[in-house]
Amino acid sequence: PREDFRLNASVVQYFDSLLSNHSSSLKSTGDVATLLNSLAWGITEPPIRFESAPPNAVNAYSPFQVMTRKAASCTGTSVFLVDSLRLCGVPARVVGVPHWNMSNETCPEGDSSPSCANHDWVEVFDTATNAWAFVDVLGDLRLNHSWFHPAMSARAQPHSRNHSIYASSYADPFQLTLLDPASYNRPGQAPSVTGYFPMVWDWGENGVRAWDVTGVYTGAGPAARPARQGFLS
């Protein structure tokens, strides 16, 4: 469900206090992302924690659902962190892969194997580097470091449905590339061949537009672009 997370007075107060108490150490949007990945979860008592869900299953996804349960899978915690970052004025987006593209030894049942299930995480537009950086939600506090990279992400396949890495976009990527090709035709990213962000729990859902950013994770190049464009997706 869509919720007025950024209009809730207690939520705004919590994040305003976080930023105020750590303002001297925040030099970039990447610093804010690191701070929130460490402390945003304390908005509830006990703090929000990661809780795995069965592959392809529906879980707590909206920020208030996550706060109520005080737990969520990678999708729910990623949505919560993106909403929290955007509340603080930081461009952020959910990124994910429908299924990891691993060997038959790792995933003997292919995409049905738990080890090849979907995974979601967060990207933030870091003003220190003028590029998107990924965040290991409730994990490694360093930007662009995670358990899945590069061991799993480097095996992703661009321009596929199941094994590409997608970055959600509010604006239509196809239109953005037409309007400003110099900014959006970048190495490693392209409009998703499906036109949307695949939802493994509902393959018929096509309401979230997406970029295919597989090349960024497999080494084709960074998804850097001018900072003025960072808020459009």
Side-chain angles (χ1 to χ4, degrees), residues 56-85:
N56 303 346
V58 175
N59 204 338
Y61 291 141
S62 74
F64 286 125
Q65 285 178 338
V66 172
M67 289 173 62
T68 298
R69 287 191 57 186
K70 301 179 178 59
S73 65
C74 60
T75 303
T77 53
S78 294
V79 170
F80 179 84
L81 185 57
V82 164
D83 282 353
S84 301
L85 286 163

mmCIF file of all heavy atoms in Angstrom, residues 56-85:
data_model
loop_
_atom_site.group_PDB
_atom_site.id
_atom_site.type_symbol
_atom_site.label_atom_id
_atom_site.label_comp_id
_atom_site.label_asym_id
_atom_site.label_seq_id
_atom_site.Cartn_x
_atom_site.Cartn_y
_atom_site.Cartn_z
ATOM 1 N N ASN A 56 9.982 -15.850 -3.394
ATOM 2 C CA ASN A 56 8.845 -15.368 -4.184
ATOM 3 C C ASN A 56 7.587 -15.098 -3.352
ATOM 4 O O ASN A 56 6.505 -14.950 -3.908
ATOM 5 C CB ASN A 56 8.495 -16.341 -5.306
ATOM 6 C CG ASN A 56 9.663 -16.617 -6.226
ATOM 7 O OD1 ASN A 56 10.660 -15.910 -6.192
ATOM 8 N ND2 ASN A 56 9.544 -17.638 -7.044
ATOM 9 N N ALA A 57 7.704 -15.058 -2.033
ATOM 10 C CA ALA A 57 6.523 -14.875 -1.180
ATOM 11 C C ALA A 57 6.297 -13.392 -0.867
ATOM 12 O O ALA A 57 7.233 -12.601 -0.820
ATOM 13 C CB ALA A 57 6.675 -15.650 0.113
ATOM 14 N N VAL A 58 5.038 -13.034 -0.641
ATOM 15 C CA VAL A 58 4.690 -11.679 -0.235
ATOM 16 C C VAL A 58 5.032 -11.497 1.232
ATOM 17 O O VAL A 58 4.824 -12.383 2.055
ATOM 18 C CB VAL A 58 3.185 -11.413 -0.477
ATOM 19 C CG1 VAL A 58 2.790 -10.054 0.059
ATOM 20 C CG2 VAL A 58 2.867 -11.510 -1.964
ATOM 21 N N ASN A 59 5.575 -10.319 1.572
ATOM 22 C CA ASN A 59 5.996 -10.046 2.935
ATOM 23 C C ASN A 59 5.552 -8.633 3.291
ATOM 24 O O ASN A 59 4.798 -8.013 2.548
ATOM 25 C CB ASN A 59 7.526 -10.189 3.034
ATOM 26 C CG ASN A 59 7.980 -10.497 4.450
ATOM 27 O OD1 ASN A 59 7.280 -10.234 5.407
ATOM 28 N ND2 ASN A 59 9.172 -11.067 4.571
ATOM 29 N N ALA A 60 6.035 -8.106 4.422
ATOM 30 C CA ALA A 60 5.768 -6.722 4.791
ATOM 31 C C ALA A 60 6.598 -5.818 3.878
ATOM 32 O O ALA A 60 7.820 -5.920 3.853
ATOM 33 C CB ALA A 60 6.134 -6.485 6.254
ATOM 34 N N TYR A 61 5.935 -4.931 3.135
ATOM 35 C CA TYR A 61 6.646 -4.117 2.159
ATOM 36 C C TYR A 61 6.582 -2.623 2.453
ATOM 37 O O TYR A 61 7.570 -1.924 2.296
ATOM 38 C CB TYR A 61 6.104 -4.370 0.750
ATOM 39 C CG TYR A 61 6.432 -5.734 0.207
ATOM 40 C CD1 TYR A 61 5.497 -6.448 -0.537
ATOM 41 C CD2 TYR A 61 7.665 -6.319 0.446
ATOM 42 C CE1 TYR A 61 5.803 -7.705 -1.043
ATOM 43 C CE2 TYR A 61 7.969 -7.575 -0.046
ATOM 44 C CZ TYR A 61 7.038 -8.272 -0.798
ATOM 45 O OH TYR A 61 7.341 -9.508 -1.281
ATOM 46 N N SER A 62 5.439 -2.107 2.848
ATOM 47 C CA SER A 62 5.331 -0.667 3.064
ATOM 48 C C SER A 62 6.066 -0.289 4.350
ATOM 49 O O SER A 62 6.253 -1.115 5.248
ATOM 50 C CB SER A 62 3.862 -0.264 3.170
ATOM 51 O OG SER A 62 3.318 -0.672 4.413
ATOM 52 N N PRO A 63 6.507 0.975 4.467
ATOM 53 C CA PRO A 63 7.278 1.365 5.651
ATOM 54 C C PRO A 63 6.541 1.160 6.969
ATOM 55 O O PRO A 63 7.142 0.711 7.947
ATOM 56 C CB PRO A 63 7.601 2.842 5.405
ATOM 57 C CG PRO A 63 6.741 3.270 4.276
ATOM 58 C CD PRO A 63 6.422 2.060 3.478
ATOM 59 N N PHE A 64 5.237 1.451 6.999
ATOM 60 C CA PHE A 64 4.521 1.272 8.263
ATOM 61 C C PHE A 64 4.260 -0.206 8.553
ATOM 62 O O PHE A 64 4.191 -0.612 9.721
ATOM 63 C CB PHE A 64 3.212 2.067 8.258
ATOM 64 C CG PHE A 64 3.421 3.546 8.419
ATOM 65 C CD1 PHE A 64 2.902 4.432 7.493
ATOM 66 C CD2 PHE A 64 4.163 4.058 9.473
ATOM 67 C CE1 PHE A 64 3.106 5.797 7.613
ATOM 68 C CE2 PHE A 64 4.369 5.417 9.613
ATOM 69 C CZ PHE A 64 3.847 6.298 8.676
ATOM 70 N N GLN A 65 4.111 -1.026 7.526
ATOM 71 C CA GLN A 65 4.031 -2.467 7.755
ATOM 72 C C GLN A 65 5.332 -2.979 8.362
ATOM 73 O O GLN A 65 5.331 -3.792 9.286
ATOM 74 C CB GLN A 65 3.750 -3.191 6.439
ATOM 75 C CG GLN A 65 2.334 -3.074 5.924
ATOM 76 C CD GLN A 65 2.151 -3.778 4.589
ATOM 77 O OE1 GLN A 65 3.110 -4.007 3.847
ATOM 78 N NE2 GLN A 65 0.913 -4.118 4.258
ATOM 79 N N VAL A 66 6.447 -2.504 7.833
ATOM 80 C CA VAL A 66 7.753 -2.908 8.363
ATOM 81 C C VAL A 66 7.908 -2.448 9.805
ATOM 82 O O VAL A 66 8.383 -3.201 10.668
ATOM 83 C CB VAL A 66 8.884 -2.337 7.482
ATOM 84 C CG1 VAL A 66 10.248 -2.573 8.123
ATOM 85 C CG2 VAL A 66 8.840 -2.962 6.092
ATOM 86 N N MET A 67 7.493 -1.218 10.087
ATOM 87 C CA MET A 67 7.599 -0.704 11.458
ATOM 88 C C MET A 67 6.699 -1.472 12.416
ATOM 89 O O MET A 67 7.062 -1.715 13.566
ATOM 90 C CB MET A 67 7.257 0.786 11.470
ATOM 91 C CG MET A 67 8.311 1.667 10.819
ATOM 92 S SD MET A 67 7.796 3.405 10.672
ATOM 93 C CE MET A 67 7.594 3.846 12.410
ATOM 94 N N THR A 68 5.525 -1.857 11.957
ATOM 95 C CA THR A 68 4.604 -2.595 12.810
ATOM 96 C C THR A 68 5.145 -3.985 13.145
ATOM 97 O O THR A 68 5.108 -4.435 14.297
ATOM 98 C CB THR A 68 3.226 -2.722 12.135
ATOM 99 O OG1 THR A 68 2.686 -1.414 11.931
ATOM 100 C CG2 THR A 68 2.273 -3.537 12.999
ATOM 101 N N ARG A 69 5.675 -4.662 12.127
ATOM 102 C CA ARG A 69 6.224 -6.004 12.338
ATOM 103 C C ARG A 69 7.609 -5.972 12.969
ATOM 104 O O ARG A 69 8.060 -6.962 13.531
ATOM 105 C CB ARG A 69 6.304 -6.751 11.001
ATOM 106 C CG ARG A 69 4.970 -7.204 10.453
ATOM 107 C CD ARG A 69 5.172 -8.147 9.279
ATOM 108 N NE ARG A 69 5.989 -9.317 9.649
ATOM 109 C CZ ARG A 69 6.405 -10.235 8.792
ATOM 110 N NH1 ARG A 69 6.105 -10.111 7.511
ATOM 111 N NH2 ARG A 69 7.127 -11.244 9.194
ATOM 112 N N LYS A 70 8.282 -4.818 12.816
ATOM 113 C CA LYS A 70 9.660 -4.662 13.301
ATOM 114 C C LYS A 70 10.602 -5.659 12.633
ATOM 115 O O LYS A 70 11.648 -6.025 13.186
ATOM 116 C CB LYS A 70 9.728 -4.789 14.824
ATOM 117 C CG LYS A 70 8.873 -3.762 15.567
ATOM 118 C CD LYS A 70 8.959 -3.942 17.072
ATOM 119 C CE LYS A 70 8.151 -2.890 17.813
ATOM 120 N NZ LYS A 70 6.718 -2.909 17.450
ATOM 121 N N ALA A 71 10.235 -6.081 11.449
ATOM 122 C CA ALA A 71 11.042 -7.044 10.694
ATOM 123 C C ALA A 71 10.532 -7.084 9.262
ATOM 124 O O ALA A 71 9.354 -6.834 8.999
ATOM 125 C CB ALA A 71 10.974 -8.427 11.317
ATOM 126 N N ALA A 72 11.429 -7.416 8.347
ATOM 127 C CA ALA A 72 11.049 -7.586 6.941
ATOM 128 C C ALA A 72 12.195 -8.253 6.211
ATOM 129 O O ALA A 72 13.331 -8.292 6.688
ATOM 130 C CB ALA A 72 10.712 -6.243 6.298
ATOM 131 N N SER A 73 11.866 -8.761 5.034
ATOM 132 C CA SER A 73 12.886 -9.351 4.175
ATOM 133 C C SER A 73 13.656 -8.241 3.469
ATOM 134 O O SER A 73 13.463 -7.048 3.745
ATOM 135 C CB SER A 73 12.229 -10.284 3.157
ATOM 136 O OG SER A 73 11.410 -9.520 2.285
ATOM 137 N N CYS A 74 14.509 -8.617 2.530
ATOM 138 C CA CYS A 74 15.327 -7.625 1.830
ATOM 139 C C CYS A 74 14.474 -6.589 1.102
ATOM 140 O O CYS A 74 14.844 -5.418 1.028
ATOM 141 C CB CYS A 74 16.279 -8.315 0.858
ATOM 142 S SG CYS A 74 15.461 -9.314 -0.416
ATOM 143 N N THR A 75 13.320 -7.007 0.569
ATOM 144 C CA THR A 75 12.464 -6.067 -0.157
ATOM 145 C C THR A 75 11.869 -5.034 0.781
ATOM 146 O O THR A 75 11.934 -3.822 0.526
ATOM 147 C CB THR A 75 11.349 -6.814 -0.905
ATOM 148 O OG1 THR A 75 11.928 -7.775 -1.785
ATOM 149 C CG2 THR A 75 10.493 -5.845 -1.704
ATOM 150 N N GLY A 76 11.289 -5.473 1.875
ATOM 151 C CA GLY A 76 10.683 -4.546 2.823
ATOM 152 C C GLY A 76 11.691 -3.603 3.454
ATOM 153 O O GLY A 76 11.427 -2.399 3.602
ATOM 154 N N THR A 77 12.857 -4.124 3.835
ATOM 155 C CA THR A 77 13.866 -3.248 4.439
ATOM 156 C C THR A 77 14.436 -2.274 3.406
ATOM 157 O O THR A 77 14.765 -1.135 3.742
ATOM 158 C CB THR A 77 15.000 -4.078 5.063
ATOM 159 O OG1 THR A 77 15.530 -4.995 4.097
ATOM 160 C CG2 THR A 77 14.504 -4.856 6.275
ATOM 161 N N SER A 78 14.515 -2.696 2.147
ATOM 162 C CA SER A 78 15.004 -1.791 1.104
ATOM 163 C C SER A 78 14.015 -0.660 0.850
ATOM 164 O O SER A 78 14.404 0.511 0.718
ATOM 165 C CB SER A 78 15.254 -2.567 -0.195
ATOM 166 O OG SER A 78 16.319 -3.483 -0.045
ATOM 167 N N VAL A 79 12.731 -1.003 0.774
ATOM 168 C CA VAL A 79 11.706 0.030 0.588
ATOM 169 C C VAL A 79 11.737 1.005 1.759
ATOM 170 O O VAL A 79 11.656 2.231 1.574
ATOM 171 C CB VAL A 79 10.313 -0.609 0.439
ATOM 172 C CG1 VAL A 79 9.218 0.446 0.494
ATOM 173 C CG2 VAL A 79 10.223 -1.393 -0.858
ATOM 174 N N PHE A 80 11.869 0.479 2.969
ATOM 175 C CA PHE A 80 11.917 1.344 4.157
ATOM 176 C C PHE A 80 13.107 2.289 4.100
ATOM 177 O O PHE A 80 12.983 3.487 4.382
ATOM 178 C CB PHE A 80 11.974 0.491 5.427
ATOM 179 C CG PHE A 80 12.059 1.308 6.687
ATOM 180 C CD1 PHE A 80 10.906 1.811 7.270
ATOM 181 C CD2 PHE A 80 13.283 1.584 7.272
ATOM 182 C CE1 PHE A 80 10.980 2.598 8.423
ATOM 183 C CE2 PHE A 80 13.363 2.354 8.416
ATOM 184 C CZ PHE A 80 12.211 2.860 9.003
ATOM 185 N N LEU A 81 14.284 1.775 3.730
ATOM 186 C CA LEU A 81 15.471 2.621 3.693
ATOM 187 C C LEU A 81 15.368 3.662 2.582
ATOM 188 O O LEU A 81 15.760 4.818 2.768
ATOM 189 C CB LEU A 81 16.726 1.768 3.520
ATOM 190 C CG LEU A 81 18.062 2.521 3.587
ATOM 191 C CD1 LEU A 81 18.195 3.273 4.905
ATOM 192 C CD2 LEU A 81 19.231 1.571 3.397
ATOM 193 N N VAL A 82 14.834 3.289 1.416
ATOM 194 C CA VAL A 82 14.653 4.254 0.334
ATOM 195 C C VAL A 82 13.706 5.367 0.773
ATOM 196 O O VAL A 82 13.984 6.559 0.564
ATOM 197 C CB VAL A 82 14.123 3.557 -0.934
ATOM 198 C CG1 VAL A 82 13.551 4.584 -1.920
ATOM 199 C CG2 VAL A 82 15.234 2.764 -1.609
ATOM 200 N N ASP A 83 12.590 5.006 1.397
ATOM 201 C CA ASP A 83 11.649 6.022 1.857
ATOM 202 C C ASP A 83 12.288 6.927 2.905
ATOM 203 O O ASP A 83 12.053 8.141 2.931
ATOM 204 C CB ASP A 83 10.397 5.355 2.432
ATOM 205 C CG ASP A 83 9.460 4.856 1.342
ATOM 206 O OD1 ASP A 83 9.719 5.144 0.164
ATOM 207 O OD2 ASP A 83 8.468 4.175 1.676
ATOM 208 N N SER A 84 13.101 6.349 3.771
ATOM 209 C CA SER A 84 13.772 7.139 4.805
ATOM 210 C C SER A 84 14.781 8.098 4.195
ATOM 211 O O SER A 84 14.879 9.264 4.597
ATOM 212 C CB SER A 84 14.474 6.196 5.799
ATOM 213 O OG SER A 84 13.552 5.321 6.415
ATOM 214 N N LEU A 85 15.539 7.631 3.212
ATOM 215 C CA LEU A 85 16.512 8.494 2.549
ATOM 216 C C LEU A 85 15.823 9.626 1.800
ATOM 217 O O LEU A 85 16.255 10.781 1.856
ATOM 218 C CB LEU A 85 17.364 7.658 1.585
ATOM 219 C CG LEU A 85 18.404 6.749 2.241
ATOM 220 C CD1 LEU A 85 18.887 5.686 1.265
ATOM 221 C CD2 LEU A 85 19.578 7.577 2.748
#
